[in-house]
Amino acid sequence: MNSNVRPETMERITTPALAEAFIAEQVALVREQVGNKKVLLALSGGVDSSVVAALLIKAIGKQLVCVHVNHGLMRKGESEQVIEIFRNQLDANLIYIDATDRFLDKLVGVAEPEKKRKIIGEEFVRVFEEEKAKIEGISFLAQGTIYPDILESDGVKAHHNVGGLPEDFEFEGLVEPVKLLYKDEVREVGRALGLPSGMVDRQPFPGPGLGVRCLGAITRNRLHALRESDAILREEFDNAGLTGKVWQFFTVVPDFTSTGVKDGKRLDYWPVIIRAVNTVDAMVCTVPEIDWAVLKKITDRILNEVDGVCRVCFDMSPKPIATIEWE
Ligand code: XMP
């Protein structure tokens, strides 16, 4: 299956049995392609790279070298989950790189959104290349390319994507076992491989991560407020049974303050904005009605638990005209 065109006869993977058959077929193909050589994979913890990692672990075990780069812009607990699942549970060959300081230092004072994206993307490639140079005898590069990436390779995703690696990478070949699958099929395969729902059914998360939600020039304390408020939002949406019902939700922290008052003193604290959208294709979105009590609980928790925040707002704007992300 070297072609980038999905055969019309290829059955849609909609059941565990079909997923198992796909896995068995790919395990055999990967073993044949790779032999006893080593394969490198950038494992972000997103659905696609996680499913590829689990599939390749099944096929070639420790011949797969996973590199997880924490760019300091991950959501709360995300890198820890990658380590727990892949290193501790699946016994993967996983290299964890905490590159937080490198990324945040590069981003100091950079306010322009596309410039932030570019810096994060380029730094990611640099860190990954440095790591590759340290590992002996890597022959193949594995990638979590999926069919929509191939179909839209000139479109939004390619422009957005952070994991995009340079073309002059010297590998014997690419290993892209899910490149002909649609997202729902990748999830089905992930479930069949035993990955937890929190990973397989994960909502989309931009490559530049929290970097595009900490508006303007990123500062560490605002990033902290963003990560903590996002974690509270996710926890409370989970408690309210909204995870899986709302397509994407997160918080945003702008780069201006607003007036608050505490113990009779006026304060300059940040607002936190809640963004929640429903969509089929991310091109047109609606804003779901969220139960008032849920919003109130989230607001109370953010105001009580997150330092530096004095206000919580809910973004009512559909796409178009507002994009999903704030920048
Ligand atoms: P927008 O904000 O354009 O977002 O309505 C549409 C979808 O794309 C995600 N998004 C990104 N994904 N890198 C990514 O990998 C990016 O730079 C990026 N910007 C937006 C966004 O989260 C939404 O799901």
Side-chain angles (χ1 to χ4, degrees):
M1 273 222 282
N2 274 328
S3 161
N4 277 350
V5 180
R6 182 173 168 126
E8 272 176 30
T9 50
M10 189 170 152
E11 196 173 358
R12 190 94 178 197
I13 301 170
T14 51
T15 64
L18 289 169
E20 293 289 354
F22 174 84
I23 292 164
E25 181 191 55
Q26 286 302 322
V27 164
L29 284 172
V30 168
R31 284 184 185 153
E32 192 186 338
Q33 182 189 4
V34 168
N36 58 7
K37 295 181 177 163
K38 279 192 196 166
V39 180
L40 186 64
L41 171 72
L43 174 59
S44 68
V47 180
D48 308 335
S49 65
S50 297
V51 171
V52 168
L55 188 59
L56 296 187
I57 290 165
K58 195 175 173 89
I60 55 170
K62 295 252 161 105
Q63 282 165 253
L64 174 72
V65 183
C66 302
V67 176
H68 176 69
V69 178
N70 177 358
H71 51 23
L73 303 164
M74 310 290 279
R75 287 173 293 192
K76 191 171 180 177
E78 234 168 5
S79 286
E80 291 80 355
Q81 189 193 32
V82 169
I83 292 171
E84 170 56 28
I85 291 174
F86 289 98
R87 186 181 285 163
N88 301 349
Q89 293 180 21
L90 298 178
D91 197 25
N93 201 344
L94 171 69
I95 298 170
Y96 170 67
I97 301 161
D98 184 353
T100 301
D101 289 339
R102 262 179 87 151
F103 280 84
L104 295 188
D105 288 351
K106 275 253 148 61
L107 287 163
V108 168
V110 182
E112 211 259 301
E114 288 312 312
K115 206 163 168 204
K116 285 161 68 176
R117 281 190 169 84
K118 192 158 180 276
I119 289 172
I120 296 166
E122 284 174 359
E123 195 61 17
F124 180 87
V125 171
R126 217 163 285 141
V127 173
F128 192 71
E129 272 178 332
E130 284 173 19
E131 234 18 71
K132 178 192 172 253
K134 290 184 207 156
I135 311 164
E136 293 275 302
I138 293 285
S139 301
F140 291 89
L141 179 71
Q143 284 189 313
T145 313
I146 68 170
Y147 205 44
D149 299 336
I150 291 174
L151 297 176
E152 297 162 14
S153 58
D154 294 327
V156 177
K157 180 104 192 239
H159 158 75
H160 271 156
N161 234 353
V162 150
L165 298 167
E167 279 166 12
D168 58 359
F169 252 47
E170 284 163 13
F171 290 99
E172 203 171 299
L174 283 176
V175 180
E176 296 180 301
V178 299
K179 73 175 177 183
L180 296 183
L181 303 192
Y182 289 99
K183 197 81 179 191
D184 55 299
E185 299 179 295
V186 178
R187 295 190 207 276
E188 195 67 53
V189 169
R191 274 188 282 276
L193 285 162
L195 290 176
S197 166
M199 190 164 252
V200 172
D201 298 313
R202 213 176 85 144
Q203 58 173 301
F205 185 58
L210 299 180
V212 292
R213 297 174 182 170
C214 188
L215 304 186
I218 298 166
T219 60
R220 286 179 194 245
N221 46 10
R222 229 156 30 82
L223 185 59
H224 180 75
L226 174 62
R227 183 174 286 121
E228 294 301 317
S229 59
D230 181 71
I232 291 171
L233 177 75
R234 286 194 288 140
E235 200 178 310
E236 293 304 330
F237 265 41
D238 231 10
N239 291 340
L242 292 171
T243 308
K245 286 196 186 134
V246 178
W247 193 79
Q248 194 175 11
F249 48 91
F250 51 86
T251 60
V252 173
V253 179
D255 55 346
F256 57 81
T257 55
S258 160
T259 307
V261 60
K262 198 174 179 182
D263 305 325
K265 275 201 200 108
R266 288 167 78 84
L267 311 154
D268 292 326
Y269 275 6
W270 303 297
V272 163
I273 299 148
I274 297 172
R275 182 73 166 139
V277 293
N278 273 334
T279 182
V280 176
D281 57 4
M283 302 300 285
V284 174
C285 304
T286 54
V287 177
E289 270 186 43
I290 307 295
D291 185 33
W292 198 255
V294 174
L295 288 176
K296 193 169 175 322
K297 176 139 193 233
I298 294 165
T299 302
D300 288 345
R301 281 198 59 196
I302 291 175
L303 295 179
N304 282 319
E305 296 173 33
V306 185
D307 282 343
V309 175
C310 67
R311 204 175 287 273
V312 177
C313 309
F314 186 80
D315 182 351
M316 294 289 293
S317 326
K319 177 180 179 178
I321 188 169
T323 53
I324 298 176
E325 303 290 344
W326 267 54
E327 63 174 34

